[in-house]
Amino acid sequence: MLAYIIRRVFQSALVLLVVGLVAFSMFSFVGDPIDNMLGQERTQADVERLRQTLGLDKPFVVQYWRFLEQAAQGNFGQSYRQGRPVAEIFLERLPATLELAFISGLMALIGGISLGIFTAIRRRGTAANLIMTASLIGVSLPTFLIGILLIYLFSVELGWLPSFGRGEVTRVGDWTTGFLTTSGIKALILPSITLGLYQMTLIMRLVRTEMLEVLRMDYIRFARARGIREKSVNFHHALKNTLVPVITITGLQLGSIIAFAIITETVFQWPGVGLLFINAVQFVDIPVMAAYLMMISVMFVGINLIVDMLYFAIDPRLRVDRAAGGH
């Protein structure tokens, strides 16, 4: 087990290095940040002085190594646009994104598993068929279009919910939260539905497919033949084995919520790190862009590592295979 964990951690670190290299390489082709930082009356001397101050006169390898050294210490440099430490800007914006991702992920997880179980158990019922038909909307429509439709219905036509912003927030230490105010909770509803709907429908359909497959197994028929209650068969025998393959896909889907937040935050003008990244692209703010992609990479790799550990702990076949391989 320990050797497996060490190997997975090493692989994760290698992935992060490669992602950082690719991201940093791509940003060198985005444009020159000097063009956005200096006005029309700039001189060549001003350009060279600012380029030297920002370290952009150094070779690419030196810039990348310097970025890795600082990133390992939690320092992503200064924002070219705002002139402030990138880490400080991220700490201001991160609570908004994490709260949105938390609510969306919770909705996707609870709703997806619950509806998946329901539509598998009641697969011939009218309600299950209606749910499966409606789920096509979440799978087929783009995220931004779902957000626009929700804004039109609940903000423009009905006037029930705000169409943009985070609402009123409360500061708790260094954290800002909208959970403690009515306007903050209302502001969360539409973005969280927009962000979580796609993930929820995918999880629901996956759970349904896996559970239907498990319910056809011989041991399920044997359990029913023994007179075990249907509820016990469905939730104790079938569901337990259904969730083993679902864990991997579900973990990755929850991780992608952070990445997809960039679209939702743009539609709803949600003041999180996704909207920060979009603005950084427009102004060629390379430190912010690099920090954002590294953050997304760390979250994906971290979630993937946790999922692998859970999969290893839950599925005894993996432990048996590892033990056999060790001998």
Side-chain angles (χ1 to χ4, degrees):
M1 179 67 176
L2 181 60
Y4 178 72
I5 294 176
I6 292 174
R7 184 166 61 254
R8 291 295 294 115
V9 170
F10 176 77
Q11 291 172 352
S12 301
L14 186 62
V15 169
L16 288 177
L17 287 175
V18 173
V19 169
L21 178 61
V22 171
F24 212 79
S25 301
M26 288 174 58
F27 294 150
S28 63
F29 299 102
V30 172
D32 192 348
I34 303 297
D35 294 336
N36 293 319
M37 299 177 71
L38 294 177
Q40 297 293 329
E41 299 179 357
R42 64 189 177 192
T43 63
Q44 188 61 33
D46 294 333
V47 172
E48 294 300 327
R49 184 167 55 251
L50 183 57
R51 192 178 299 278
Q52 185 176 6
T53 301
L54 297 177
L56 298 178
D57 59 329
K58 302 289 193 301
F60 173 81
V61 176
V62 176
Q63 292 184 45
Y64 178 60
W65 180 252
R66 179 180 167 188
F67 169 75
L68 289 180
E69 281 186 327
Q70 294 179 342
Q73 303 170 16
N75 178 20
F76 294 94
Q78 300 280 329
S79 167
Y80 295 164
R81 180 189 176 197
Q82 301 187 33
R84 298 167 53 204
V86 173
E88 180 181 313
I89 300 172
F90 266 69
L91 287 177
E92 290 178 359
R93 296 291 195 107
L94 202 55
T97 297
L98 291 181
E99 285 189 357
L100 177 60
F102 173 75
I103 297 298
S104 302
L106 202 62
M107 181 191 78
L109 194 60
I110 295 175
I113 293 177
S114 300
L115 292 175
I117 295 171
F118 177 81
T119 53
I121 295 174
R122 310 290 185 190
R123 56 187 176 277
R124 294 185 179 87
T126 303
N129 290 327
L130 289 175
I131 292 172
M132 291 302 297
T133 302
S135 70
L136 293 174
I137 298 175
V139 174
S140 305
L141 292 182
T143 301
F144 73 90
L145 184 56
I146 293 174
I148 293 172
L149 291 175
L150 290 176
I151 289 174
Y152 175 76
L153 179 60
F154 291 101
S155 298
V156 178
E157 291 295 325
L158 299 176
W160 291 352
L161 298 170
S163 60
F164 67 93
R166 196 182 173 195
E168 185 181 354
V169 297
T170 304
R171 180 169 290 278
V172 180
D174 294 332
W175 190 271
T176 57
T177 178
F179 290 154
L180 302 178
T181 64
T182 302
S183 63
I185 293 174
K186 284 185 176 181
L188 260 171
I189 295 175
L190 294 185
S192 60
I193 292 175
T194 302
L195 183 58
L197 186 61
Y198 177 75
Q199 315 300 331
M200 186 182 74
T201 52
L202 283 182
I203 293 173
M204 182 197 76
R205 298 175 79 88
L206 177 63
V207 170
R208 180 181 184 273
T209 302
E210 291 293 336
M211 192 158 187
L212 287 175
E213 189 68 28
V214 171
L215 288 173
R216 296 189 187 101
M217 295 291 182
D218 290 337
Y219 73 90
I220 295 294
R221 295 193 182 100
F222 181 70
R224 285 171 174 158
R226 289 176 56 196
I228 298 176
R229 291 184 307 167
E230 190 69 17
K231 183 177 180 181
S232 179
V233 171
N234 290 331
F235 291 96
H236 180 69
H237 297 280
L239 181 60
K240 182 179 178 181
N241 291 283
T242 296
L243 293 181
V244 172
V246 168
I247 285 176
T248 302
I249 302 300
T250 300
L252 294 178
Q253 289 302 323
L254 293 179
S256 65
I257 282 179
I258 298 291
F260 285 153
I262 190 172
I263 301 173
T264 304
E265 290 184 8
T266 303
V267 172
F268 289 92
Q269 288 298 292
W270 188 262
V273 292
L275 186 60
L276 178 68
F277 176 76
I278 292 296
N279 293 332
V281 171
Q282 294 175 349
F283 286 88
V284 200
D285 199 341
I286 295 176
V288 173
M289 291 189 289
Y292 175 81
L293 288 188
M294 287 301 294
M295 182 195 74
I296 296 298
S297 303
V298 168
M299 288 186 176
F300 262 106
V301 170
I303 289 174
N304 196 28
L305 184 61
I306 292 172
V307 167
D308 284 347
M309 298 298 104
L310 288 175
Y311 204 82
F312 189 89
I314 291 174
D315 194 343
R317 293 171 299 180
L318 291 179
R319 296 196 295 273
V320 172
D321 291 343
R322 295 288 176 186
H327 296 297

